[in-house]
């Protein structure tokens, strides 16, 4: 858009005071200011709108015009609402610096001018960017991707001034905007992923608008041809809409798409298609690792000789850990996704297997540095059999031991918020993590250990649960195998009197009991944690003992309360 077009738009009420020879300048944006020196906020090409509050003496006009000219603005529009006629000293200063000057009639609000310019500039940039995106698409179709998702986001930044990020369903930033500005706060990706998955599960059409604090983001689906093409006897995530949602990447744009023209929305859809191509390429690169994992898991499950498994591990190690000089340790992670009710396909003999969905999720979780506690890595290999996914994770050997072992609590905490939203009210993800093993002889035991840990996790409440090998040596090993009716009767006998009392009197006896046991029965530590006087704490504990007929000074009664709380 050029200055001449603004002058010829009668509704804008602009009157030219100088700079007729410069009316072919291109307007790239608009800025309203009354700062004495706005140059630090200018990047060139703007039409500057001002109410002249900065002018206190005629000499100020010369300085202001010189600063704008040096910044490369397209022109200056001065409002007449405050001073009436535009001062002659400003007209002359703008003429000396070849700066087009307009007078804005007092009946025209700066907001009207700003809205008109932004709409016109955005429309033109959308058309320009659409052509660039089309060229990029043709290049990608013809050969290797040029720069990945970052290159596509750079187009959004440079051509539309949009900051954007590509996020995985776990909230892992896959690619990010390189525009100037503050980085995406650490807690925001997980919240955006959770909002996207919840909205997508509801069936509402996108894009989805989400406010995080003062910032509004628009979320677009990035769907490839399929994160795991179905093979013989298996089904892809796309066969079940619930699993398909959990496989989505998303494009998060720092803007409110509700204010956009249709052309810009269509453009962003094209951008998601470009990113989907990149995702498909990354997914295809995992094919070799998946095949290796599948072969090793099948050998281990079939109790193959250790020598045969070792041979496959020697083949896998260079692929998963290129350049590693020593044999790695290995850690196994088992995952399972369960739906209520199970998904079925028309004409299928039974429910669709959820192994492919679990595999896709496990791959996303294990490349997430928040979950793995390491730098991003795509060297894991994940297989699936039926409803179960099994990850073979190599760990570098340092000082004779494994480095960077996975922890079940870290896996769970990193992905609980977004995946719980994606699993909504009818799905669960459970994870089990084995100890690290050095040789092929230990893999069979590690697989059984990871499976048993997953069963421990499955006995807990929550949409996303994980358990590690270290828990198999504690009381939690026994709890999942207590019959449900026994669990309910045991917890009801001990805790129902306390729950009823809390409900009637808002006494918080249950939280007090949990804190007391967590502090190993220490009165002073428990009182400090609960911000209570010790006498108040003693009163509450006495009330608990009175209601239940138990004595919290006795070890047996403490253990009973502890187990009841764990099974509740």
């Amino acid at each position: 858009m050029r200055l001449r077009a603004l002058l010829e738009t009668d509704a804008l009420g602009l009157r030219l005071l100088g700079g007729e020879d410069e009316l072919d300048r291109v307007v790239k944006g608009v800025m309203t200011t009354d700062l004495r020196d706005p140059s630090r906020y200018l990047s060139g090409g703007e039409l500057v709108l001002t109410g002249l509050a900065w002018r206190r003496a005629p000499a100020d006009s010369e300085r202001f015009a010189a600063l704008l000219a040096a910044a490369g603005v397209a022109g200056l529009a001065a409002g007449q609402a405050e001073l009436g006629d535009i001062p002659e000293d400003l007209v002359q200063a703008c003429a000396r610096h070849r700066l087009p000057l307009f007078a804005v009639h007092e009946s025209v609000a700066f907001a009207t001018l700003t809205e008109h310019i932004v709409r016109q500039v955005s429309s033109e940039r959308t058309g320009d960017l659409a052509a660039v995106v089309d060229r990029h698409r043709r290049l990608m179709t013809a050969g290797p991707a040029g720069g990945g998702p970052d290159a596509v986001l750079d187009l959004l930044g440079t051509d539309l001034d949009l900051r954007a990020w590509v996020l995985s369903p776990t909230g892992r930033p896959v690619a990010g905007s390189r525009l100037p500005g503050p980085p995406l706060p650490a807690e925001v990706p997980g919240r955006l992923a959770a909002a996207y998955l919840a909205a997508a599960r509801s069936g509402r059409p996108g894009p989805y608008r989400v406010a995080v604090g003062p910032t509004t983001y628009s979320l677009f689906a990035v769907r490839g041809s399929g994160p795991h093409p179905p093979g013989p006897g298996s089904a892809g995530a796309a066969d079940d809409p619930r699993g398909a949602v959990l496989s989505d990447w998303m494009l998060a744009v720092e803007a409110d798409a509700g204010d956009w023209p249709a052309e810009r929305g269509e453009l962003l859809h094209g951008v998601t298609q470009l990113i989907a191509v990149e995702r498909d390429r990354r997914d295809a690169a995992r094919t070799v690792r998946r095949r290796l994992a599948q072969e090793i898991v099948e050998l281990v499950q079939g109790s193959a000789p250790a020598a045969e498994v070792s041979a496959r591990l020697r083949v896998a190690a260079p692929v998963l850990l290129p350049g590693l000089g020593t044999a790695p340790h290995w850690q196994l992670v088992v995952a399972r996704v369960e739906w209520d009710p199970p998904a079925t396909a028309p004409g299928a003999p039974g429910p669709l297997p959820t192994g492919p969905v679990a595999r896709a999720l496990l791959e996303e979780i294990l490349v997430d540095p928040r979950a793995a506690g390491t730098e991003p890595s795509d060297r894991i290999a994940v297989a699936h059999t039926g409803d179960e996914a099994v990850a073979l994770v190599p760990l570098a050997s340092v000082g004779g031991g494994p480095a960077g072992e996975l922890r079940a609590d870290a896996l769970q905490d990193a992905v609980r918020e977004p995946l719980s939203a994606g699993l909504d009210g009818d799905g669960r993800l459970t994870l089990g993590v084995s100890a690290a093993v050095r040789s092929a002889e230990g893999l069979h035991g590690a697989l059984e250990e990871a499976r048993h840990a997953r069963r421990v996790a499955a006995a807990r409440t929550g949409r996303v649960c994980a358990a590690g090998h270290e828990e198999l040596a504690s009381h939690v090993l026994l709890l999942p195998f207590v019959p449900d009716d026994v669990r309910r009767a045991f917890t009801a006998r001990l805790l129902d009197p306390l729950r009823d009392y809390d409900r009637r009197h808002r006494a918080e006896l249950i939280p007090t009991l949990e804190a007391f046991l967590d502090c190993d029965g220490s009165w002073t530590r428990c009182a400090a944690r609960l911000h209570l006087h010790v006498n108040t704490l003693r009163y509450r504990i006495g009330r608990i003992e009175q209601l239940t007929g138990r004595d919290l000074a006795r070890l047996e009664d403490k253990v009973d309360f502890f187990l009841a709380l764990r099974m509740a």
Side-chain angles (χ1 to χ4, degrees):
M1 183 181 64
R2 300 184 185 275
L3 289 174
R4 190 180 305 279
L6 290 176
L7 186 61
E8 293 171 351
T9 304
D10 294 337
L12 299 181
L14 294 178
R15 180 165 55 91
L16 183 64
L17 300 180
E20 187 174 357
D21 294 339
E22 307 294 332
L23 290 180
D24 285 328
R25 291 187 182 185
V26 175
V27 179
K28 298 180 181 179
V30 62
M31 177 189 180
T32 300
T33 182
D34 275 315
L35 294 174
R36 294 173 63 82
D37 181 4
S39 56
R40 74 184 69 181
Y41 305 108
L42 297 168
S43 56
E46 297 92 348
L47 177 65
V48 176
L49 309 179
T50 180
L52 301 176
W54 50 266
R55 182 184 177 277
R56 299 172 186 172
D60 293 338
S61 296
E62 174 64 27
R63 180 174 180 273
F64 191 78
L67 289 170
L68 296 189
V73 304
L76 174 65
Q80 294 180 289
E82 292 293 329
L83 300 181
D85 290 337
I86 307 302
E88 184 61 27
D89 49 84
L90 180 59
V91 176
Q92 294 177 3
C94 288
R96 282 193 293 272
H97 292 283
R98 301 179 62 83
L99 183 64
L101 176 63
F102 302 88
V104 183
H105 193 272
E106 61 181 7
S107 64
V108 179
F110 281 175
T112 302
L113 264 171
T114 300
E115 182 181 355
H116 177 84
I117 293 171
V118 168
R119 187 184 302 115
Q120 295 299 317
V121 170
S122 296
S123 177
E124 292 173 4
R125 286 185 177 181
T126 296
D128 293 343
L129 182 56
V132 175
V133 169
D134 185 61
R135 289 197 299 273
H136 195 73
R137 180 185 289 111
R138 288 198 300 269
L139 286 171
M140 291 172 59
T141 303
D150 291 295
V152 180
L153 298 186
D154 283 345
L155 293 176
L156 286 178
T158 56
D159 287 76
L160 288 183
D161 297 325
L162 289 176
R163 282 160 45 86
W165 297 266
V166 178
L167 306 177
S168 78
T170 66
R172 173 177 63 94
V174 177
S177 172
R178 289 181 275 196
L179 277 181
L184 198 63
E187 72 280 3
V188 170
R191 294 178 63 181
L192 294 180
Y196 170 84
L197 291 173
R201 279 297 308 272
S202 73
R204 291 192 289 115
Y208 310 114
R209 290 175 287 167
V210 180
V212 181
T215 306
T216 298
Y217 299 88
S218 297
L219 308 177
F220 298 79
V222 176
R223 294 193 173 108
S225 59
H228 28 259
S234 69
D239 292 331
D240 180 2
R242 297 174 295 188
V245 168
L246 290 172
S247 301
D248 285 350
W249 277 4
M250 64 213 71
L251 175 66
V253 181
E254 192 180 73
D256 188 344
D259 299 333
W260 289 357
E263 294 82 359
R264 179 172 286 202
E266 293 172 1
L267 170 66
L268 264 293
H269 177 67
V271 169
T272 63
Q273 291 178 322
L274 289 181
I275 298 171
V277 172
E278 293 289 333
R279 183 189 175 179
D280 285 345
R281 286 194 167 127
R282 293 189 183 193
D283 195 68
R286 291 175 174 169
T287 301
V288 173
R289 291 190 290 275
R290 287 173 176 171
R291 186 170 64 247
L292 287 171
Q294 198 75 36
E295 292 174 356
I296 293 169
V297 168
E298 288 175 358
L299 289 173
V300 171
Q301 287 185 138
S303 301
E308 187 175 354
V309 179
S310 294
R312 297 309 302 159
L313 286 177
R314 284 194 295 271
V315 172
V319 176
L320 299 177
L321 287 175
L324 190 68
T326 58
H329 288 74
W330 302 93
Q331 200 170 9
L332 271 64
V333 182
V334 170
R336 191 182 182 102
V337 172
E338 296 171 296
W339 299 109
D340 183 24
T344 56
L352 289 170
T354 58
V357 181
R359 181 180 68 181
L361 279 180
L362 198 50
E363 286 175 334
E364 290 290 359
I365 292 170
L366 293 178
V367 299
D368 192 325
R370 300 167 304 162
T374 61
E375 291 300 315
S377 172
D378 199 23
R379 291 170 175 169
I380 50 92
V382 185
H384 78 83
T385 55
D387 291 333
E388 181 183 76
V390 181
L392 190 67
V393 183
L395 305 172
S397 301
V398 176
E405 281 190 80
L406 297 173
R407 291 174 43 244
D409 57 346
L411 296 181
Q412 175 180 287
D413 293 344
V415 302
R416 180 192 284 124
E417 180 183 8
L419 293 187
S420 293
L423 292 160
D424 196 26
D426 57 358
R428 293 195 77 206
L429 169 67
T430 51
L431 303 157
V433 183
S434 79
V437 296
R438 178 64 182 268
S439 63
E441 288 83 355
L443 283 180
H444 183 79
L447 180 58
E448 291 305 312
E449 188 175 59
R451 284 174 169 165
H452 199 78
R454 192 207 63 79
R455 288 193 288 271
V456 170
R460 297 172 178 165
T461 58
R463 293 292 162 196
V464 179
C465 295
H469 60 91
E470 65 280 354
E471 299 182 61
L472 302 184
S474 77
H475 65 278
V476 297
L477 175 62
L478 305 177
L479 297 184
F481 306 103
V482 177
D484 288 343
D485 54 345
V486 175
R487 293 159 65 97
R488 285 192 293 269
F490 182 75
T491 57
R493 189 175 301 115
L494 280 175
L495 301 183
D496 278 1
L498 307 183
R499 291 177 178 137
D500 292 341
Y501 190 87
D502 282 348
R503 192 161 42 247
R504 292 196 308 270
H505 302 283
R506 299 182 180 178
E508 298 188 349
L509 295 185
I510 293 286
T512 301
L513 176 61
E514 290 175 326
F516 185 72
L517 295 175
D518 196 44
C519 292
D520 299 323
S522 168
W523 296 100
T524 52
R525 281 197 290 129
C526 183
R529 174 181 293 189
L530 296 175
H531 305 290
L532 298 174
H533 192 279
V534 172
N535 289 341
T536 304
L537 177 61
R538 289 185 185 278
Y539 172 81
R540 289 188 183 180
I541 295 300
R543 178 62 67 183
I544 291 171
E545 293 174 335
Q546 182 184 19
L547 291 169
T548 61
R550 298 299 185 105
D551 181 359
L552 278 165
R554 298 179 67 246
L555 176 62
E556 293 87 345
D557 288 343
K558 286 180 182 176
V559 170
D560 284 347
F561 277 122
F562 175 78
L563 293 174
L565 289 168
R566 282 298 183 96
M567 290 191 292

